[in-house]
Amino acid sequence: MRSAKENNFPYKMSTICYFEVDKDGNVSQIPHKNKSDRARLLEVYQRAIDKTITLYAVWPGNWSSDLFIIDDLDAFAKEFDLF
């Protein structure tokens, strides 16, 4: 797993797949491609800040896909205009 903080992560790239994992291991995909997804992103951001979930993303490449932990929540929020 890689760090989003250390890799100039393209938060808004349309091919990125975000998902959250809660303390019980439940996994949910997070939509982020439309302006209507902002409310959901804000909820996810708050849960991540509160440490009730961990936020991850998959960045697909030509030959493989990389898993990232979204460990710079300020950059995530800034990219999606959450504050």
Side-chain angles (χ1 to χ4, degrees):
M1 182 173 0
R2 299 173 68 183
S3 164
K5 188 185 319 186
E6 298 171 3
N7 287 282
N8 197 24
F9 193 78
Y11 292 94
K12 292 179 93 173
M13 181 181 271
S14 65
T15 57
I16 298 292
C17 176
Y18 288 100
F19 61 98
E20 63 181 312
V21 179
D22 70 15
K23 301 285 184 194
D24 296 325
N26 298 307
V27 178
S28 299
Q29 188 172 353
I30 303 159
H32 66 91
K33 295 179 177 103
N34 301 308
K35 289 188 180 206
S36 62
D37 297 328
R38 186 179 183 281
R40 175 79 190 277
L41 287 169
L42 189 54
E43 292 170 5
V44 167
Y45 169 75
Q46 190 59 55
R47 286 193 297 272
I49 289 292
D50 294 343
K51 299 188 185 307
T52 61
I53 61 107
T54 303
L55 183 58
Y56 298 96
V58 175
W59 182 358
N62 288 333
W63 309 108
S64 67
S65 297
D66 292 316
L67 175 64
F68 287 80
I69 187 166
I70 304 303
D71 52 357
D72 188 344
L73 294 171
D74 290 339
F76 176 83
K78 184 177 178 183
E79 284 293 320
F80 288 106
D81 297 318
L82 300 181
F83 52 62

